[in-house]
Amino acid sequence: FIIYAIILILAISSQGALIYSAAKYAKNGKTKSNNALAVALEKFWPLLGINLINTVIGYFFIIFVISPMIDLVAVKNGLTFYFLLSLIVFFLLVPLIVMISFATRFGMAYIMIYNQKLWTAFNNGWELFRANWMITIESAVTMLMFAIAYVVIGFAAIAFVFAPFLVLALLMQMSPL
């Protein structure tokens, strides 16, 4: 339990420290990471609260909406209507969860940079997302594409490196020796 608590404190505070350091670097061009972590530790509880808001809302949609839809489709033996209804609900809820996630991330920035309280920061984060939703989604899609490309290139590199060994192993297995 103590190790879990330490990991939780470090994970939440590290998010705040990254936000604080990025803001300081954008403003001054310099930053000290040890100072940022100390500031983030001071604001641990609001950061934890906004992370819990994000987690609770996400789990709420999974437990109370997506899970019953899966059960409904499973019980009705895959009727087309229920399958389409499930797809519609899924494609409506995933963007909603992503929007809440962005709003909470922006709210974390309001906590760290402007020293706002939890609900004020969450509301301001939501307003910031609403004002800049297009560029936020474009940035997220761009990062997703880079991540996918990175994974594909990584798997290709691994296949390229291990392919000679696989061929050698197959040749040795077919060898009469």
Side-chain angles (χ1 to χ4, degrees), residues 3-24:
I3 293 174
Y4 177 74
I6 291 170
I7 290 171
L8 178 71
I9 291 169
L10 286 176
I12 300 295
S13 298
S14 296
Q15 293 174 3
L18 284 171
I19 293 167
Y20 183 79
S21 293
K24 286 291 185 185

Side-chain angles (χ1 to χ4, degrees), residues 2 10 13 15-16 20 31 35 77 111 116 118 134-135 151 154 158 160:
I2 293 174
L10 286 176
S13 298
Q15 293 174 3
Y20 183 79
T31 185
N35 182 29
N77 295 327
I111 289 171
Q116 292 184 350
L118 175 67
M134 184 65 85
I135 190 69
V151 167
I158 290 171
F160 182 72

